[in-house]
Amino acid sequence: MARAALLQQRKARWAVVGAYVSLTKPRIVELLLITTIPAMMLAAQGLPSIWLMLVVLVGGSFAAGAANAINCYIDRDIDPLMGRTSRRPLVTHQISPKNALVFGLTLAVASTVLMAAFTNWLATALTVAAIVYYDVIYTAWLKRTTPHNTFWGGVCGAMPVLIGWAAVTNSLAPAAWLLFGVVFFWQMPHFYALAIRFKDDYAKAGIPMLTVVATPRRVAIESVVYSWLTVAVSLAVWPLGMSSVYGVPALICGGFFILEAHGLYSRTVKGEDVKPMRLFHWSTAYLTIVFVATAVDVFI
């Protein structure tokens, strides 16, 4: 009996740990870090110090986790209304709102202190700005008031590129802004696809996503336009000291990305099953391949 009770206590403690981890939305954090390290390598024109990369990885993870945890606190009124978010820890009462907020603010302070102590003030300021923008400007305001929320929310999603670059050089070169542009424009077709899939959820929660307030054709057209812009900006990086090791994958994968966006548009206007998650998953693969190619190009 005592052993069973002990195992039950351990299981309960790990469940709480898992709930706090889920507040940070690890999949989003992972995606952000995929763009940060290659940007740092390109900025350094080689491998930055392992210590600096570790600091930026940990500091960036804390910052993203903080922003996401505070996001869950702010959205605790609408998360129960959406099937996609109805199992979040604040909805299921695994974690209290107060504890979630304290957890998020603690991570924010930890990330700021870490970046300030071991990088530079530009990288630190960008880190703080990303957290504030995501939670105050996007989550608390734009997300609930404008159908252009995905566009403006793209700013904080692309910030890790600038943070990583600034941590290495204490400056922001044209290549850094172009990589920022790649992630920024990429977010529209990526998240529009997700918003198509969960359109009814957003409608029930009263969130004016473009998919809720505009026609499916309009959403599909914007997905096509932003996929072209994403690829165009990615190819603009090519002449800035990059070789075909970067350029060819960016061109080929970009072509497939655009084709998939056009496929979504075609299915939309024909009244067929839109299959938005095809674009969602391919867009994730596209971004990963482009930034991996960035890192590989630096060493060849």
Side-chain angles (χ1 to χ4, degrees), residues 40-124:
M40 293 180 71
M41 292 179 176
L42 184 59
Q45 286 297 298
L47 189 68
S49 75
I50 300 300
W51 172 248
L52 181 62
M53 287 197 298
L54 181 62
V55 166
V56 173
L57 279 173
V58 175
S61 296
F62 282 0
N68 290 328
I70 297 170
N71 166 272
C72 288
Y73 171 81
I74 296 171
D75 280 351
R76 67 190 185 281
D77 61 326
I78 60 174
D79 280 347
L81 305 177
M82 299 190 288
R84 185 172 66 89
T85 57
S86 61
R87 292 182 295 277
R88 286 180 176 173
L90 268 68
V91 180
T92 60
H93 306 294
Q94 287 178 281
I95 299 173
S96 70
K98 177 184 176 181
N99 287 347
L101 180 60
V102 170
F103 176 63
L105 292 174
T106 301
L107 286 178
V109 170
S111 68
T112 303
V113 170
L114 191 62
M115 296 295 285
F118 298 108
T119 61
N120 54 64
W121 285 107
L122 177 58
T124 304

Side-chain angles (χ1 to χ4, degrees), residues 212-238:
V212 174
V213 302
T215 65
R217 183 187 179 94
R218 163 74 181 281
V219 177
I221 289 173
E222 289 205 16
S223 297
V224 169
V225 169
Y226 284 118
S227 68
W228 275 96
L229 286 171
T230 302
V231 176
V233 175
S234 74
L235 294 178
V237 180
W238 194 350

Side-chain angles (χ1 to χ4, degrees), residues 120-142:
N120 54 64
W121 285 107
L122 177 58
T124 304
L126 290 170
T127 300
V128 174
I131 297 172
V132 172
Y133 188 99
Y134 183 71
D135 288 321
V136 178
I137 305 299
Y138 170 71
T139 302
W141 176 31
L142 296 175

Side-chain angles (χ1 to χ4, degrees), residues 4-18:
L6 182 60
L7 289 174
Q8 191 63 31
Q9 289 176 357
R10 288 178 179 176
K11 184 178 179 180
R13 283 196 294 267
W14 279 112
V16 172
V17 170

Side-chain angles (χ1 to χ4, degrees), residues 158-180:
M159 286 290 280
V161 172
L162 300 184
I163 294 168
W165 193 287
V168 173
T169 67
N170 198 21
S171 64
L172 295 173
W177 288 107
L178 287 173
L179 290 177
F180 172 90

